[in-house]
Amino acid sequence: MACRLLLQFFGIWGDENGDDGDIPMVGEASISMATLCFGTEMNGNNGYDDTDVLYLAFTGSDAVPGADGAAWAAKDPVAFEESISSLGRSLLERINDEDDGDAEDEPPIVKVGSDPSNRLGRCEGDCDKDRDCASGLKCFQRTERFLAVPGCSGGAQDDSLFDYCVRNRDNFPVLSKV
């Protein structure tokens, strides 16, 4: 999780150890991670409203620390987070490994039109819904001009509000409120 898009913390979703007491370490991410980012004033009655928090979740057996992969008996959340930080960093490498940075992997955006008669291909716009895109693609909704289009080149130079079809794996993570 990145909070305030500067600080990075790692945590475990899923509560297997019961109540953590006054300072949650494992379980509901919205509470355990919020206390790391913003302190103990975060609780079930007090939240954080800004949109500068990013959660990334990983699946698969390598995303589970197992019985010996974390300091499950840690007495504070910082020690627990430190015990899983190497696992977290290795999971983040998955993101880098999916794209080798080759420019051929990022075709330029193409403005087909605001009401295309055929399904749009990769990096083509203007889509409004996923069904406007060819199979295996989804409509990436741009909320501002000059916003990069994931997996495509040229979005950061595009002053339109066109939305473009992208591969599912290229979609940017969504910012989530804590």
Side-chain angles (χ1 to χ4, degrees), residues 21-73:
D22 293 336
I23 304 174
M25 292 182 280
V26 178
E28 192 174 327
S30 60
I31 298 296
S32 61
M33 298 304 285
T35 56
L36 280 172
C37 285
F38 307 109
T40 57
E41 66 273 4
M42 295 294 122
N43 58 50
N45 296 319
N46 183 31
Y48 184 76
D49 289 330
D50 288 341
T51 57
D52 56 354
V53 176
L54 173 67
Y55 283 103
L56 294 175
F58 295 93
T59 59
S61 60
D62 61 334
V64 179
D68 298 323
W72 297 108

Side-chain angles (χ1 to χ4, degrees), residues 6 14 56 77 120 129 136 152 162:
L6 299 172
L56 294 175
L120 299 167
K129 296 181 173 71
C152 305
F162 268 40

Side-chain angles (χ1 to χ4, degrees), residues 90-169:
S90 71
L91 293 170
L92 287 175
E93 284 301 313
R94 282 192 197 172
I95 296 169
N96 293 332
D97 290 345
E98 283 188 11
D99 183 11
D100 61 9
D102 188 347
E104 290 182 35
D105 290 340
E106 295 192 349
I109 59 170
V110 177
K111 295 179 181 178
V112 174
S114 59
D115 192 19
S117 57
N118 296 317
R119 287 184 157 204
L120 299 167
R122 181 175 172 209
C123 301
E124 292 181 343
D126 181 34
C127 57
D128 294 314
K129 296 181 173 71
D130 291 348
R131 69 174 179 241
D132 295 333
C133 301
S135 178
L137 302 175
K138 66 188 302 180
C139 186
F140 176 73
Q141 299 287 323
R142 293 176 48 181
T143 56
E144 56 190 70
R145 300 174 196 282
F146 305 106
L147 184 65
V149 178
C152 305
S153 63
Q157 293 77 39
D158 179 21
D159 68 348
S160 78
L161 286 174
F162 268 40
D163 302 317
Y164 294 92
C165 296
V166 298
R167 296 179 296 190
N168 285 328
R169 73 177 182 97

